[in-house]
Amino acid sequence: MRKTAKIGLWFNKRSAEYLWRHGQDQFQLYLEEVLGHAGIPYTRFDDADTLESYHPDIIVVLHAGEKEEDLNRMEQWARQGATLISYGGLNRMAGRLGCTRFAIRDAVYGDLSGLKYAQGIPVLRAVISDPWMVSQTSVMPVEADGVLRRLRKDGAEASAAVIKFPLGGGRLIRWNVDIPANIVMLQQGGGPVVQDGIPAPDGTGAVDEGILKADDRCELDWNEDRSVTETGMPYFDTPYADWWREVIVRQLMEEADALGLSLPFLDYWPEGVHQVAMISHDSDFNVEEAARTTLSVLQNNGVRSTWCMIEPGYSPSLYKEIQAAGHELAFHFNALEQENGIWSAEEFTRQLSVIRSTSGSPIVSNKNHYTRFEGWGELYEWCELNGIEADQTRGPSKKGNVGFPFGTCHPYYPIARSHERNRLYRVLQIGFLTQDLEHPTLSDVSVIAPFLEKVAEVRGVAHFLFHQQHIHNLEQVRHALSLAVETAKRLGYAFWTSEEITRWEQARRSAVLRVGADGILIAENLPQGAVLRQPLNAEADPSASRTEIRFGRPCAEASSSVKTAAE
């Protein structure tokens, strides 16, 4: 039985406070969200002495600081036997490690096919990079893996993706990409939404219509990051952020394995669930006849869904019918100026109060009308203040940007900016893939299969939006909804509501995973149905019973290597 790797996250808070005071984000902190969602046991340390007394096997450097003592500390930890991983940063160490730093101003694409643990991972877009180049005069036996390419997936080679330095009894592994920061920028944008985005050159993504929306800060490239279906429908084809998350976890498992250790984890979904699909609706004109048509279609397909209600909403009797059928009632905030909507905290609260009082439902989910979005985190702050625990606003508004415009299909907690010390908002984001398939101005059903296949690869949430009015008025939209449900069920998807996804993720995050002094993983407060998995080492038989592929390697259900707190 192998012991569990002790992972320590090092965050030099003293140095970070200085940067926060000067408006500098520390998006490396987002690694805690990545590991938390992946169910990986770790401990964060803001004090170096406490970290050293923990004796971690792997130290992930969130922020080291730039003083000489900070850098000496990094080198000392490695020489004493630890494996250090840094996503960018540590730039003042470049010279002493036989490297030089240089600047790349444009996006790059990471080809990680040369890394053993990254097999099967597609070429990944990175919004920013921070590369080192190994000097020709370097005498250190440095290992460089992977390739960063400029601007295109087949572009000119810019640098290695990751560089590994042997130091005493341990080693330092430095990525030339700040992976946590790139995940943030892909998911939330490179900055606040304050102006229209850049439209698609082929006319399929006119995001510059004078309405501020989530997809006005999409960090993907219209040409390089889209594919087309057999009917010519363009779509963003890769959940880049989800794959970058997977790179982080796969590497930690690989490094643990190299140390003769294991890294058990809490699986994404409960026992018997492989991936999740979700259907939501936006009530818009509140036509009750359209609502009843939608209820009938959902009943015929055997699925429950999430109904986002716009003011003034439905009649009390119709609300009772919707809830009696097992559907979730949610909020649809209207800040569209063309409909006299106002983007403000007061208006958010007022509209939500109307929907709560007329529906008689507590309402825990929201999606903004027309995917309206401004700034960075105001919406999440309003949600927090009003007891909204999940948001679905981040999705495509145009025919040509369906799919993964924000690089993800996983539920995640967004991060705040430096003025809030880059805290995580307490609002789960559950983005959607597309809306109203077969509507004359939107995409057709040819995207269903590739979307479901891509989501299944990363085991996320396949979220489809259908408006009640289009389900009622357009037979082809009704057929598209049925086809999406049929295809998802055939591929093994379970249909959940937004609230069910949120409650499950909250329960997972409430679990406590820690490594005891004897190297055994201690699991506390596990939710019902939760599955702990144990990655098998490289020599294990992947065909063994009760084994599933997770993070690119066979994983068994953990048993003897895990104990509960009571044991």
Side-chain angles (χ1 to χ4, degrees), residues 470-486:
H470 299 319
I471 294 172
H472 177 68
N473 292 322
L474 298 171
E475 181 180 357
Q476 67 268 30
V477 174
R478 292 195 294 275
H479 172 72
L481 191 158
S482 298
L483 182 60
V485 172
E486 175 190 339

Side-chain angles (χ1 to χ4, degrees), residues 19 49 60 66 78 102 113 137 142 151 184 195 204 241 266 310 324 343 347-348 359 388 391 411 493 512 529 548:
L19 297 176
D49 292 337
V60 182
E66 290 287 305
F102 67 100
S113 58
T137 57
V142 178
L151 291 173
V184 170
Q195 61 184 4
T204 62
L266 183 60
I310 200 167
W343 181 266
E347 187 64 9
F348 185 95
S359 69
I388 294 294
D391 179 73
Y493 279 83
V512 178
E548 300 281 353

Side-chain angles (χ1 to χ4, degrees), residues 30 33 187-188 245 389 411-415 424-429 502 505-506 509:
Y30 203 68
E33 158 62 19
Q187 293 179 167
Q188 295 180 244
R245 287 171 178 262
E389 301 172 56
Y412 65 90
Y413 286 97
I415 192 170
L424 292 180
Y425 294 109
R426 300 184 305 277
V427 182
L428 190 69
Q429 181 61 230
T502 302
E505 189 64 22
Q506 290 171 340
R509 300 300 184 99

Side-chain angles (χ1 to χ4, degrees), residues 23 25 27 184-198 211-219 343 372-381 394 406 415-419 425:
D25 288 309
F27 284 150
V184 170
M185 293 180 184
L186 289 165
Q187 293 179 167
Q188 295 180 244
V193 176
V194 295
Q195 61 184 4
D196 273 339
I198 300 172
I211 301 172
L212 295 181
K213 313 167 302 306
D215 51 8
D216 282 319
R217 281 310 298 251
C218 172
E219 299 300 326
W343 181 266
R372 277 281 284 115
F373 198 96
E374 294 184 31
W376 180 268
E378 298 97 300
L379 174 63
Y380 302 124
E381 293 172 10
R394 299 192 72 78
F406 303 110
I415 192 170
R417 301 303 295 264
S418 60
H419 66 285
Y425 294 109

